[in-house]
Amino acid sequence: MKRLLCALLLGGGLIQAQTSPPLTFYIHDTSGGTPDKLLDPSYAFANTSQGSSTPLVIRAVNSSTSPVYWVQAFVSNTANSTVANANFSVTGQVIDQVLAPSGSILFTVNFAPVVAGAAIGYLQATYQIQQPVGCSFTSGAKPCQSGTVSVSTLTGTATNPQLILSYRNSSGGAITLQPASSTPFDFGNVSTSSSVTITFILANQTANAIPTPTIKLQTTQFFSSAFRLDTSSLPTSIIGNSFATFTVTFAPGQLGVTDPSTALLVGALIYPMKGTGIIVSDVDALQISYTDMTPGSPSFGVRTNPQAATAIQFDQLVVGGATSSIFNFLVTNPTTSYSAVAVSPLGVSGAGFGMSGAPAGPISIAPGATIGFTLTFAAAATGSYTGSLSIGTRRFALEGLTVISPFPAVSFQLSAQPLTSQQQATLTVQLASPSAFAGTGTLTMTFVPSVNGVSNDTAVAFLATNSRQLNVDFPVGAQTASYKGQSAIAFQTGTTAGTLTFKLDVVNTPSYSQDFAISPATIHLTSATAVRQNPNLVVTVNGYDNTYSAGQLSFTFYDLSGKLISPVTVNAATSFQQYFSTNNQAGGAFALQASFPVQGDVTQVGSVAISLTNSQGQTNSTPTFQ
Amino acid sequence: MKSQLGLFLLAAVLPAQVSAPRVGFARFAGGSVHAVSGLPANFLVADLPVARADRLSFSDSGGLLARNGEIDLVDANAQPVASFASGEAAPLLNVDGALTTAIAWLPSSHSILHWDGKAFALTQTTFDGEITALQWIEPEKARLLVLEDNASVSAVIVSLKTGQVIDSQTVPGMKGRVFAQHSFLVATNSKTLVIESANGQSRVLPLAAPDITTERMSSDWLHIFSASSGEHWALHLTQTDLHLSRMPPAREAAQ
């Protein structure tokens, strides 16, 4: 829903639905046995028991002549509402993507009733359409038209549940849980040094065996969870009129009530849960956090408040890649504490894990004070590693993993070497063997000029995007990477001497990079023209100086018979330096024009020998006058 | 010798003028028009657009921009000079020299619009055919390149005074959609670029892309692009040089 609201805001607000919606919806048979069938304005699902799910695969087709930005499909409670209906869910849709005319997208609507009886939902889809021309799907400055199409009214009947979830209270009585309850199951108040485990009972109400539904925790993405699920004792199916059990442990590492989005998912049913971390002893008050400082990590700089229920997961190491994963920890005694907290022991255990930077013991953290230390995971041999961090009586599990990259070795091949300035060449990313699986990588080019005081040459870029970064694909079986189907990736080298570096980053694979030098060279002329504009002679020269050191120019004029008339020397160093150093956007490329007043008949001048000098030597050209 | 010729050359009165080499103006996705500078195989497309257009043509002296039925004459810095409400959705434009070479074919009204130096002049013609390029060739005469039904090409001279066809000749050896550049003809198809000189010599360059469009960036540069593939090329074509390079898109359009 957040994505939906965001898209609507970017789109400049929801406008009236198009008189002719740009999207048409079909029922799709994923087996391919029957052709797509137009989805009617109303659709009835088969009867479905509470806790089960009946899917309906739908193909949405862009039936307009303009690109359509698919925001998302959703099922609402009422026809004009955006409030999600709990009895229906939409899965498998790739949201926020552009559909070309006739392009389509598949998604699944699931009737997964949470209460028995008749249910009704309203399938809607939100989109933007590229109208007017030139509008932007993503920029709020030039928003495209947006709209919502009412796709179909969905109905279904929920029958009694086949499985019932319960737990035993402290007196041994079985308490049945109701899904989607507005009152979360409460694990109660638990010290941040302690934990509580609840055993849940999943009972089969029918006489036949039922496959055990998928059971998992719903937690806030990217955040450490204070809950831990153990389904190791669950069978793959529960026999008739029998039951199976699993446990959920609440082990907080932070104070306060857990995130309200936390829930236990049993099949399609949702059971909200909560717990509260509290202080029982002084050490419970310590606020613990860590920041990922592993160079190159996607989580670099991300700060996490760990929960004791969830192991602290270090960045995965790849043999031949980064040698360690580094987390910086901070432990703070809040100012609200009454007394200093003694931290003993402070240490880490487990092969591959190490601690550094901790203050010397005995450690005592005064109210409002903070200590810091660094944990590292560095294991060269492949495998999974576990350990433990102790901060006084507070315990946090540690996990690390070292893998061998499954990706074949990479090399770069250029269409031309050595590289020179003002060149367009292609780069091919070559794999040592055909890729066993599909993957993507990020190909980056960087350019470091060798000219003093020059930091960049904006002409250096991939030609397909005019940028220095591309996402390349590795299809299964391919031995070269490709960008939009092309394995020869074109780029231009600019007009500045320096070093061009290509780097490929693939997840779980050591980065591969290679440098290519572009050597300083004499001034290169791409054109030289000489024109008589009585009473002047005008000489125009286009070219580049990749050293930015052009200085002396000389012009030697000859008559029509080739006899010397006059040499003229111009010191253009100042002009060139002003050009190269003042808001220069063209690198070493330049256009030079020199005008020579003539007393006499300009038509008698036949040619001019031009000589330009830079730090690498002299360049000559002799254009004839037009 | 100097005295024999009676010539006296002075050192350049002004210091040598150094600037970024100018290529011209090109239209990218979404109709954004950007200044392009650089050299063959080394292009810099300005980040900020100077205008938006559905069609364009530029010489070193200025250009024509068409958008939403309006045709604007602009100077060499893309600043407006004059405007004409043509109502034409898909005009064919050309400027290949001074602003007085600015000319446009308005297919829906079978008329030719040209700039006479002071105002736009509209000439109704009786001509009907698929015109792929046109040029102002001399006062009161325009040359149209016409794609015939059998894919051959005709060069038709039309009076800008009367709108009557003065001459029509088949261009030998050329087929398909043809563009005129200086004394050359440039033909494109989905696989190659064929350049034929006035003396009949031709050169074929590989250029594989669907739906090729050609627009003039400046007097000596043509912008060749495929809207569907997003690829761009720059052709430098003068009496002494022929150079085809890939050209990067505008960064705004490339996203």
Side-chain angles (χ1 to χ4, degrees), chain A residues 422 424 465-466 492 494 591 593, chain B residues 8 17 19 40 42-43 246 249 254:
Chain A
Q422 198 212 348
Q424 291 184 346
T465 59
N466 201 4
Q492 60 185 20
Q593 190 171 75
Chain B
F8 298 95
Q17 303 292 308
S19 59
N42 184 79
F43 297 101
R246 284 280 299 272

Side-chain angles (χ1 to χ4, degrees), chain A residues 532 556-566 601-608 624-625, chain B residues 1-2 4-5 7 9:
Chain A
R532 303 182 189 97
T556 304
F557 294 87
Y558 298 90
D559 67 13
L560 292 171
S561 64
K563 292 178 180 172
L564 176 68
I565 300 173
S566 172
D601 183 4
V602 295
T603 63
Q604 295 302 303
V605 184
S607 62
V608 57
T624 55
F625 277 94
Chain B
M1 181 57 64
K2 294 177 196 173
Q4 287 176 343
L5 286 172
L7 282 171
L9 281 117

Side-chain angles (χ1 to χ4, degrees), chain A residues 437-503:
Chain A
F437 55 87
T440 60
T442 302
L443 181 65
T444 308
M445 65 192 299
T446 54
F447 181 67
V448 178
S450 59
V451 180
N452 284 339
V454 177
S455 60
N456 194 16
D457 184 334
T458 55
V460 178
F462 289 117
L463 289 166
T465 59
N466 201 4
S467 69
R468 292 184 180 174
Q469 193 170 78
L470 295 176
N471 290 327
V472 293
D473 299 320
F474 296 94
V476 175
Q479 214 160 341
T480 56
S482 61
Y483 176 76
K484 292 189 174 178
Q486 299 287 324
S487 58
I489 299 167
F491 63 95
Q492 60 185 20
T493 59
T495 50
T496 306
T499 301
L500 194 55
T501 302
F502 292 100
K503 177 166 163 259

Side-chain angles (χ1 to χ4, degrees), chain A residues 134 142 422-424 458-459 462-466 490 492 494-495 526 537 542-544 553 557 559 563-566 568 570 572 575-576 579 585-586 589-593 595-602 604-605, chain B residues 1-2 4-22 30 37-45 47 52 67 229-231 236 241 243-252 254-255:
Chain A
K142 301 175 292 181
Q422 198 212 348
Q423 185 179 23
Q424 291 184 346
T458 55
F462 289 117
L463 289 166
T465 59
N466 201 4
Q492 60 185 20
T495 50
T526 59
L537 298 172
N542 281 10
Y544 70 83
L553 308 180
F557 294 87
D559 67 13
K563 292 178 180 172
L564 176 68
I565 300 173
S566 172
V568 176
V570 178
S575 298
F576 272 109
Y579 166 68
Q585 299 293 317
F590 66 84
L592 178 146
Q593 190 171 75
S595 184
F596 300 88
V598 175
Q599 290 182 347
D601 183 4
V602 295
Q604 295 302 303
V605 184
Chain B
M1 181 57 64
K2 294 177 196 173
Q4 287 176 343
L5 286 172
L7 282 171
F8 298 95
L9 281 117
L10 307 174
V13 171
L14 296 172
Q17 303 292 308
V18 185
S19 59
R22 185 168 174 164
S37 60
L39 304 167
N42 184 79
F43 297 101
L44 296 123
V45 180
D47 286 340
R52 294 204 174 269
R67 181 167 171 79
S229 75
E231 293 175 288
H236 188 241
D241 186 47
H243 199 123
L244 179 67
S245 314
R246 284 280 299 272
M247 186 166 75
R251 287 200 173 91
E252 179 187 67
Q255 291 170 359

Side-chain angles (χ1 to χ4, degrees), chain A residues 148-494:
Chain A
T148 298
V149 56
S150 295
V151 181
S152 185
T153 301
L154 309 177
T155 56
T157 300
T159 55
N160 287 327
Q162 297 174 313
L163 291 168
I164 287 181
L165 184 69
S166 64
Y167 75 101
R168 294 198 180 281
N169 61 16
S170 56
S171 60
I175 308 295
T176 298
L177 295 174
Q178 296 300 322
S181 169
S182 58
T183 306
F185 179 85
D186 194 352
F187 281 72
N189 296 335
V190 178
S191 149
T192 55
S193 298
S194 185
S195 66
V196 63
T197 298
I198 300 290
T199 299
F200 289 94
I201 303 159
L202 198 54
N204 182 353
Q205 302 296 298
T206 72
N208 301 317
I210 294 176
T212 304
T214 301
I215 297 174
K216 55 188 179 183
L217 288 174
Q218 172 181 285
T219 57
T220 306
Q221 201 173 11
F222 307 125
F223 282 78
S224 180
S225 174
F227 295 92
R228 182 172 59 243
L229 174 68
D230 182 358
T231 59
S232 58
S233 62
L234 276 178
T236 55
S237 64
I238 304 172
I239 61 175
N241 298 315
S242 185
F243 67 90
T245 63
F246 61 92
T247 64
V248 176
T249 298
F250 174 53
Q254 308 292 326
L255 297 174
V257 180
T258 52
D259 187 277
S261 65
T262 305
L264 177 66
L265 304 182
V266 179
L269 301 181
I270 299 176
Y271 298 88
M273 298 188 308
K274 75 170 187 178
T276 305
I278 62 167
I279 300 170
V280 174
S281 60
D282 286 349
V283 75
D284 295 341
L286 295 179
Q287 296 169 342
I288 301 167
S289 67
Y290 65 86
T291 303
D292 189 343
M293 301 304 292
T294 309
S297 166
S299 303
F300 181 84
V302 173
R303 181 174 174 270
T304 302
N305 297 323
Q307 302 281 4
T310 303
I312 294 172
Q313 186 75 54
F314 283 77
D315 295 299
Q316 179 175 286
L317 302 182
V318 180
V319 174
T323 56
S324 64
S325 175
I326 304 163
F327 287 1
N328 283 355
F329 278 75
L330 293 175
V331 180
T332 300
N333 188 7
T335 53
T336 51
S337 292
Y338 291 109
S339 57
V341 176
V343 178
S344 178
L346 176 62
V348 66
S349 65
F353 299 97
M355 176 184 282
S356 62
I363 301 170
S364 177
I365 308 175
T370 297
I371 67 163
F373 57 87
T374 298
L375 288 194
T376 56
F377 168 62
T382 59
S384 297
Y385 295 79
T386 57
S388 178
L389 168 66
S390 297
I391 303 173
T393 56
R394 307 278 292 272
R395 297 280 188 279
F396 295 90
L398 306 177
E399 289 182 357
L401 180 65
T402 299
V403 298
I404 295 174
S405 170
F407 220 68
V410 170
S411 62
F412 292 146
Q413 293 179 353
L414 295 185
S415 59
Q417 281 201 69
L419 291 179
T420 60
S421 290
Q422 198 212 348
Q423 185 179 23
Q424 291 184 346
T426 61
L427 169 76
T428 302
V429 181
Q430 191 81 38
L431 301 181
S433 59
S435 177
F437 55 87
T440 60
T442 302
L443 181 65
T444 308
M445 65 192 299
T446 54
F447 181 67
V448 178
S450 59
V451 180
N452 284 339
V454 177
S455 60
N456 194 16
D457 184 334
T458 55
V460 178
F462 289 117
L463 289 166
T465 59
N466 201 4
S467 69
R468 292 184 180 174
Q469 193 170 78
L470 295 176
N471 290 327
V472 293
D473 299 320
F474 296 94
V476 175
Q479 214 160 341
T480 56
S482 61
Y483 176 76
K484 292 189 174 178
Q486 299 287 324
S487 58
I489 299 167
F491 63 95
Q492 60 185 20
T493 59

Side-chain angles (χ1 to χ4, degrees), chain A residues 91 102 115 126 131 139 145 163 205 222 413 487 526 529 543 604:
Chain A
T91 57
S102 301
V115 293
T126 52
Q131 291 175 358
S139 168
Q145 291 183 17
L163 291 168
Q205 302 296 298
F222 307 125
Q413 293 179 353
S487 58
T526 59
T529 59
Q604 295 302 303

Side-chain angles (χ1 to χ4, degrees), chain B residues 113-134:
Chain B
L113 181 74
H114 78 280
W115 176 252
D116 67 6
K118 295 178 181 174
F120 278 112
L122 190 64
T123 306
Q124 188 74 34
T125 76
T126 56
F127 182 80
D128 190 11
E130 184 175 357
I131 297 172
T132 62
L134 79 166

